[in-house]
Amino acid sequence: MGDIEARDDGLWARSLDGDGQAFGMLFDRHRDRVFRHAYRICGDRSTSEDVMATAFLELWRLRKKVVLVEGSVLPWTLATTTNIARNAQRAAFRYRRMLDSLPRQDEASVDSGETVYLQSALDHDMVSALRCLGALDLQLFSLVAFEGYTVAAAAEILRLSPSAAKSRMHRARSKMKNALERQQWSPSQLAMEGERS
C-alpha cells in the first residue's frame, strides 16, 4: 500500500472508487501549495482559503474530466485554482465598486487587519504584476515559475502545443519583467521569487 500512496495516481484511483480517505490524503498532500498559489493571485488570506477549498471541491465535482500530469492531480488543481481566484477577484471588484457608489457618513478609519497577512512588499508587488497576465498565461506562468513544472508538463495540462506554450511563457516572462521593473524590481528578484516559491 505504501507504493500506491507515494504517488497521486494510486490515491486518485482509490478516490474514484469511493475511498474518502484517499481523497483526504491528496488534499493533505497538496493543500499548502494550492493555498500559496491562490494567495499569489488574490493577495488575501481569507479569499485564498475559500479559493483553495473551492478548487478541491471542483477536483471532486469534475473528477471524470481531471487530467493527471506525470501521475499528479496538482497541475490540474493549480490551473483550476487560477480560474477560481480570478473569478473571486472579479466578484470582489464588482462588490467594491458597488460599495463605493453608496453614500457614506464620516467614519473613523478601521484597519481590516489584512496587512498582517501580507508577507512583504515583495508579495504585494508580485500580486500586482501577475494581474498583467491573461488567464491562460497566468496559469502557464504559475505552473512553470512558481510550481516548478516544465513548460512541456504545463502545456499538457493546459492542452497547448509545446511550441505554443514556449512562446506564451516567453511573452508572460517579458510582461512580468516589465511590470516588476515599473515597480522598481530587478529581474534577479523575479528569478529568486520563482525559485523560492
Side-chain angles (χ1 to χ4, degrees):
M1 187 185 277
D3 288 341
I4 292 173
E5 292 177 1
R7 293 177 42 108
D8 281 2
D9 50 1
L11 289 172
W12 185 242
R14 286 177 42 206
S15 297
L16 293 177
D17 288 337
D19 186 341
Q21 185 178 14
F23 190 80
M25 291 172 75
L26 287 169
F27 174 81
D28 289 343
R29 179 177 290 174
H30 298 304
R31 70 177 172 215
D32 293 339
R33 286 182 73 181
V34 172
F35 173 80
R36 285 192 308 269
H37 182 67
Y39 187 80
R40 279 187 210 105
I41 298 168
C42 298
D44 171 90
R45 183 177 182 85
S46 177
T47 303
S48 299
E49 289 170 349
D50 291 344
V51 166
M52 177 193 67
T54 304
F56 280 100
L57 286 173
E58 287 296 288
L59 177 65
W60 181 250
R61 188 178 73 81
L62 299 172
R63 62 191 173 274
K64 302 290 186 206
K65 297 179 181 180
V66 171
V67 176
L68 299 183
V69 174
E70 298 174 357
S72 178
V73 298
L74 184 61
W76 188 95
T77 308
L78 293 172
T80 301
T81 299
T82 301
N83 293 333
I84 295 167
R86 289 176 64 93
N87 288 340
Q89 284 181 313
R90 283 191 287 272
F93 175 75
R94 287 191 301 271
Y95 181 70
R96 278 192 302 273
R97 191 172 58 195
M98 186 271 303
L99 287 179
D100 289 344
S101 70
L102 297 174
R104 296 195 183 156
Q105 295 178 349
D106 291 336
E107 298 177 19
S109 173
V110 177
D111 182 8
S112 69
E114 203 51 46
T115 54
V116 173
Y117 295 110
L118 291 176
Q119 295 174 353
S120 67
L122 182 76
D123 286 342
H124 180 69
D125 291 345
M126 183 61 74
V127 168
S128 296
L130 286 169
R131 291 186 179 131
C132 77
L133 301 178
L136 188 57
D137 290 344
L138 178 59
Q139 289 175 330
L140 179 64
F141 185 85
S142 296
L143 288 170
V144 175
F146 296 124
E147 297 301 330
Y149 286 94
T150 65
V151 173
E156 183 179 343
I157 189 62
L158 297 174
R159 296 191 173 127
L160 295 170
S161 69
S163 60
K166 188 175 178 181
S167 296
R168 281 183 168 278
M169 190 63 192
H170 177 73
R171 283 194 305 268
R173 281 188 173 127
S174 295
K175 285 182 182 178
M176 287 293 294
K177 179 182 172 190
N178 291 337
L180 292 171
E181 284 175 351
R182 284 193 301 271
Q183 297 170 20
Q184 299 179 348
W185 271 42
S186 70
S188 61
Q189 287 173 305
L190 173 59
M192 287 187 334
E193 178 63 14
E195 291 170 5
R196 253 196 318 233
S197 298

